[in-house]
Amino acid sequence: MAGYDYDLFVIGGGSGGVRAARVAAALGKRVGIAEEYRFGGTCVIRGCVPKKLYVYASQFPEHFADAAGYGWTVPEASFNWQTLVANKDREIARLEAIYKKNVEGSGGETFHSRAMIIDPHVVHLLDGDRTVTADQILIATGGRPAAHPALPGHEHCIFSNEAFDLKELPKAIMIEGGGYIAVEFANIFHGLGVDTTLVYRGKEILSRFDMDLRRTLHETMEKKGIKILCHAVSEWVRKRPDGRLDAHLTSGQTLTVDQVMLAIGRVPNTENMGLEGIGIEMTAAGAIKVDDYSRANVDNIWAIGDVTNRVQLTPVAIHEAMCFVETAFKDNPTAPDHDTIATAVFSQPEIGTVGLSEDEAVKRFADIEIYRASFRPMRHTLSGRDEKMLMKLVVDGASRKVLGAHILGPDAGEMAQLLGIPLKAGLTKDDFDRTMAVHPTASEELVTMYKPTYRVKDGQRV
């Protein structure tokens, strides 16, 4: 390793890349990391963090309305989009500085530059036209919103990146897509007073989530006033003389809106990096193929995070980074564990989920018990809000192991994080039953559903 400029060079300054760089540098390794845009990556700069801030902002109208039932008189409120954007920018700048400082504070060297691999041990930094060598190279360049160049008028559309920084809050928006990004932004814009329509090609939003959650969230969103059009996609988008957009759908409808946002998936950032030139194997979608330990097919080249298209979640990228350091620098080969990952959708109401959905469990196990509770949470009793909470446990009838836990309602994401621990540990429904409830809470339902709502044996509900 002494013959190289660096023991490790990381390309990509997102959560995974920064974690790998920081931890390796703290071990005394000579580390360099290049980021062409802003340190923090998708999550911090144009993803999870600003999105959650906008979710908070969009929830206040309901909080103001609910306050009356608790005796509060709230004056008529007004919202300023530019203030939200400016305050978001200030917080993101603070976090970006921390990410960069953490690497440098651990002894790593940071570069603001696009990087290309021109040899398995050589990286070219375009900014400054500098070439460096490294014993190990880690690619953590993440992903970006999938474009839709086949859509006539796609140049008039925005993606999640642009949605955070619009000059003006639109009066009406159409969002195409049915995944968590589309659903979350639909709730954000609606909460901020925007006339919102969600268009999705499938039969129900949020594929791969438990169907009970999907249906209940769909119904709740429509009750709030969000229009959801399934079995439809855009055929064309045209700009009108007044600057608004017409979006024509396969259903025959034409929507006139101020913005059309495409949220139709994400693709890995692997173009124009020199990967093909050194023989890196990639999938048809452009993701880097890696083995169980995040190694690419070329010696000393590794990849983690969304660029591998394994599980596109920030905590997964960080976990993969830690496993990489163990494997590459601690002589402790450690494969990332992608099983039983808790996740959340910050819709309104939230979804929190971990483990198998009912449909997945039925395919794998002959005898499934379903424990299900739907109720109005206590916080809505005085406000009068007609909004139900849903809790569901999926249990293997033979072993009694809890296979999945699914929640729709306030603080569902927080509950999912905690539920990830017992499900990861393989605890049983009997363990849940032996756990004392905390009263009065919504989460006590998780340990007080003693009898199954129904069973599914050999694929048939009984």
Side-chain angles (χ1 to χ4, degrees):
M1 289 196 279
Y4 299 107
D5 297 323
Y6 298 98
D7 300 318
L8 170 66
F9 199 92
V10 181
I11 303 176
S15 297
V18 165
R19 176 62 64 90
R22 180 170 64 83
V23 175
L27 293 174
K29 304 301 178 182
R30 294 167 300 155
V31 176
I33 180 172
E35 168 57 51
E36 67 174 319
Y37 181 49
R38 298 176 68 181
F39 280 86
T42 295
C43 180
V44 172
I45 305 301
R46 52 192 178 272
C48 323
V49 173
K51 176 217 32 204
K52 191 70 180 290
L53 296 177
Y54 282 23
V55 168
Y56 289 143
S58 66
Q59 290 174 336
F60 279 99
E62 288 190 352
H63 294 334
F64 295 149
D66 291 348
Y70 287 89
W72 290 93
T73 300
V74 180
E76 183 177 355
S78 63
F79 172 71
N80 187 289
W81 169 255
Q82 286 75 23
T83 298
L84 173 61
V85 173
N87 289 342
K88 177 268 298 181
D89 286 345
R90 185 164 52 251
E91 174 62 10
I92 297 312
R94 183 186 73 85
L95 294 174
E96 178 189 9
I98 290 173
Y99 267 62
K100 188 171 182 288
K101 181 180 178 181
N102 283 345
V103 173
E104 295 172 342
S106 298
E109 188 174 2
T110 61
F111 299 90
H112 280 284
S113 174
R114 182 171 181 80
M116 294 183 63
I117 303 175
I118 58 177
D119 178 89
H121 290 283
V122 181
V123 175
H124 180 62
L125 301 173
L126 276 66
D127 186 7
D129 193 24
R130 176 179 177 180
T131 298
V132 298
T133 60
D135 179 54
Q136 306 291 320
I137 297 173
L138 175 66
I139 303 170
T141 47
R144 66 184 186 280
H148 193 355
L151 174 66
H154 65 88
E155 67 274 13
H156 303 308
C157 302
I158 63 169
F159 300 91
S160 56
N161 290 357
E162 293 81 18
F164 292 113
D165 298 296
L166 296 172
K167 291 183 179 180
E168 295 181 354
L169 186 66
K171 292 183 173 60
I173 190 169
M174 186 197 98
I175 301 175
E176 182 161 345
Y180 74 93
I181 294 174
V183 168
E184 289 174 337
F185 272 100
N187 282 275
I188 287 170
F189 280 113
H190 171 75
L192 297 178
V194 179
D195 182 359
T196 304
T197 303
L198 185 67
V199 175
Y200 179 47
R201 65 182 179 181
K203 66 179 182 180
E204 187 56 274
I205 59 174
L206 293 177
S207 63
R208 296 191 297 276
F209 283 81
D210 188 87
M211 186 56 79
D212 267 343
L213 298 183
R214 298 166 67 187
R215 288 173 180 154
T216 307
L217 179 62
H218 183 144
E219 293 169 1
T220 305
M221 288 172 62
E222 288 192 322
K223 285 182 180 179
K224 290 174 181 284
I226 300 172
K227 295 178 284 292
I228 301 178
L229 306 177
C230 292
H231 301 291
V233 296
S234 300
E235 287 191 327
W236 50 257
V237 177
R238 294 175 186 163
K239 196 161 192 175
R240 296 158 53 101
D242 61 2
R244 304 190 79 201
L245 301 174
D246 284 337
H248 186 70
L249 310 181
T250 52
S251 61
Q253 294 173 266
T254 299
L255 305 179
T256 300
V257 295
D258 301 294
Q259 296 285 356
V260 173
M261 175 179 159
L262 301 180
I264 53 177
R266 295 180 64 82
V267 295
N269 286 323
T270 52
E271 296 90 346
N272 304 315
M273 290 182 59
L275 302 184
E276 296 89 349
I278 62 170
I280 295 289
E281 291 184 2
M282 290 183 281
T283 68
I288 297 174
K289 291 183 178 180
V290 293
D291 67 10
D292 291 343
Y293 298 91
S294 299
R295 291 189 187 93
N297 64 300
V298 176
D299 288 344
N300 70 274
I301 305 289
W302 313 69
I304 60 171
D306 290 3
V307 77
T308 67
N309 201 24
R310 288 178 285 184
V311 180
Q312 295 185 18
L313 293 170
T314 297
V316 173
I318 293 172
H319 171 68
E320 291 171 356
M322 298 299 291
C323 293
F324 157 74
V325 172
E326 290 289 327
T327 302
F329 297 116
K330 289 189 174 183
D331 195 26
N332 178 32
T334 304
D337 182 359
H338 295 122
D339 187 43
T340 316
I341 298 172
T343 189
V345 179
F346 293 105
S347 49
Q348 299 175 38
E350 287 181 17
I351 281 178
T353 184
V354 58
L356 300 182
S357 67
E358 178 180 342
D359 289 342
E360 291 172 324
V362 167
K363 293 175 183 177
R364 300 190 197 183
F365 297 86
D367 184 8
I368 293 295
E369 296 178 349
I370 300 297
Y371 296 79
R372 187 183 187 280
S374 179
F375 56 94
R376 187 165 66 167
M378 189 174 183
R379 68 170 63 183
H380 293 334
T381 55
L382 295 189
S383 70
R385 183 170 299 281
D386 182 22
E387 192 170 299
K388 293 296 182 65
M389 190 161 191
L390 174 65
M391 293 195 173
K392 182 175 181 179
L393 296 178
V394 180
V395 177
D396 175 19
S399 68
R400 301 282 291 159
K401 180 180 178 180
V402 180
L403 305 173
H406 311 285
I407 302 170
L408 174 74
D411 302 318
E414 300 288 346
M415 293 186 217
Q417 176 64 86
L418 297 176
L419 283 166
I421 300 170
L423 265 72
K424 194 71 173 177
L427 298 189
T428 67
K429 183 60 171 61
D430 297 328
D431 294 317
F432 276 60
D433 292 344
R434 283 195 296 269
T435 302
M436 199 70 71
V438 177
H439 181 75
T441 64
S443 57
E444 67 183 288
E445 293 288 335
L446 294 166
V447 296
T448 57
M449 295 187 288
Y450 297 120
K451 293 183 179 181
T453 307
Y454 57 88
R455 303 174 76 104
V456 182
K457 288 191 174 183
D458 298 320
Q460 301 295 319
R461 184 183 292 199
V462 294

